Amino acid sequence: MGLDGKTALVTGASRGIGRAIAKALAARGAAVIVNYNGSKEAASEVVSEIEAAGGNAISLGCSVADQEAVESMMKEIISKYKRLDILVNNAGITRDNLILKMKEEDFDAVLNTNLKGVFHTCRYAARQMLKQKAGCIVNISSISGVMGNAGQTNYAASKAGVIGFTKSLARELASREIRVNAVAPGFVETEMTEKLPESAVEAGKRQIPFGRFGKAEEVAKAVCFLASEDASYITGQVLHVDGGMGM
Ligand code: NAP
């Protein structure tokens, strides 16, 4: 699964799953762009960790929800590296609430980051990858987008949207063998799930055949596989990394 000479952008890579993905791609030889929104220091730490391990990385801040900011980040990447081989759309947020209490601004914020953000990066990346006649995209969806989850109408809609988006873009880019896949993690130990009340954690674990939450590194390995030549005949797929929860 060597990725020597490849350039990879990972959105939302300052912590959690994105951080693990950035480090795993770099460990396999890719030059990694560590994107973040507000956590500049944390992103710099990820870069330092990658460099300390002998890898190559830079950090670039921008909200994926902001189309103009994404475009200027993409321009900066292409001007520095001349290409983009791997795009991992990982940036995501939650604003959980039951539908009767769900505020419109919370619905919009989640859709704008989790789904529209994917549109913003893919639109630019697809143009570049078509020019290169090579590249691959991995979008991070969620078990919530597959099974639904009470209190997450906004989040589940965004993540189900990511799956439909992924399959459609895979069909659009397949003639050039540019692959587009999704990874649907179940419950993974990160700051996102740290926010869950203990009762929800216990209820969650009861639904997981493995009986435990996943680790960010376990998701990262699946992303590295899909981003590598080992997955050369795989496109439009949703790989579940969920301890059996969604089977
Ligand atoms: P996390 O720990 O909350 O980290 C989220 C990351 O996204 C941070 O690096 C954050 O950067 C970044 N981010 C947020 N809004 C952004 C924006 N507008 N533009 C750019 N970056 C932004 O989350 P996580 O648990 O690692 O989740 C990563 C992905 O996996 C998300 O898409 C999530 O929906 C998905 N997922 C997670 C789980 C889970 O159980 N943890 C399960 C299924 C799917 P800043 O700190 O700089 O804002």
Side-chain angles (χ1 to χ4, degrees):
M1 287 208 292
L3 298 173
D4 287 327
K6 305 280 187 197
T7 299
L9 165 63
V10 184
T11 67
S14 58
R15 56 192 151 87
I17 294 171
R19 180 186 190 117
I21 294 169
K23 290 173 74 172
L25 291 171
R28 286 157 178 79
V32 177
I33 297 101
V34 174
N35 161 257
Y36 62 94
N37 185 20
S39 308
K40 188 174 182 178
E41 244 174 67
S44 302
E45 266 173 40
V46 179
V47 170
S48 302
E49 285 170 17
I50 288 172
E51 287 173 344
N56 181 350
I58 60 165
S59 63
L60 288 180
C62 105
S63 170
V64 294
D66 179 341
Q67 188 193 312
E68 281 177 20
V70 168
E71 190 153 340
S72 63
M73 175 179 70
M74 290 298 200
K75 281 188 180 146
E76 200 174 333
I77 292 168
I78 301 309
S79 122
K80 182 169 168 62
Y81 295 97
K82 312 294 175 221
R83 55 189 298 115
L84 179 66
D85 301 291
I86 300 164
L87 166 64
V88 182
N89 281 303
N90 165 82
I93 59 169
T94 51
R95 297 275 190 277
D96 295 355
N97 226 328
L98 297 170
I99 190 74
L100 297 184
K101 292 183 180 164
M102 175 79 63
K103 293 191 187 117
E104 187 172 358
E105 68 208 54
D106 288 337
F107 192 88
D108 289 346
V110 168
L111 268 287
N112 283 339
T113 298
N114 298 8
L115 182 57
K116 210 160 174 205
V118 175
F119 166 65
H120 291 150
T121 56
C122 281
R123 192 157 60 156
Y124 200 95
R127 194 181 304 138
Q128 177 63 27
M129 288 175 181
L130 284 167
K131 224 187 272 174
Q132 296 167 186
K133 298 190 175 64
C136 81
I137 297 172
V138 182
N139 295 325
I140 306 299
S141 176
S142 166
I143 187 81
S144 291
V146 178
M147 296 176 71
N149 194 18
Q152 289 198 317
T153 49
N154 51 357
Y155 182 77
S158 73
K159 293 300 188 176
V162 165
I163 292 175
F165 182 100
T166 298
K167 292 181 179 184
S168 301
L169 188 58
R171 288 182 187 277
E172 285 188 27
L173 302 182
S175 64
R176 304 286 175 89
E177 296 205 15
I178 295 165
R179 299 178 299 101
V180 190
N181 290 292
V183 168
F187 286 101
V188 180
E189 288 167 1
T190 68
E191 281 181 34
M192 189 177 271
T193 47
E194 267 172 25
K195 288 186 245 165
L196 292 172
E198 193 53 33
S199 57
V201 171
E202 287 314 310
K205 281 186 185 164
R206 281 196 294 276
Q207 293 179 63
I208 307 169
F210 272 13
R212 66 167 177 90
F213 281 15
K215 296 190 186 316
E217 291 72 20
E218 292 176 306
V219 179
K221 283 182 203 166
V223 172
C224 286
F225 164 65
L226 288 172
S228 76
E229 275 305 299
D230 287 353
S232 58
Y233 201 52
I234 300 177
T235 198
Q237 300 304 306
V238 182
L239 180 53
H240 290 235
V241 183
D242 61 6
M245 189 175 170
M247 72 176 143

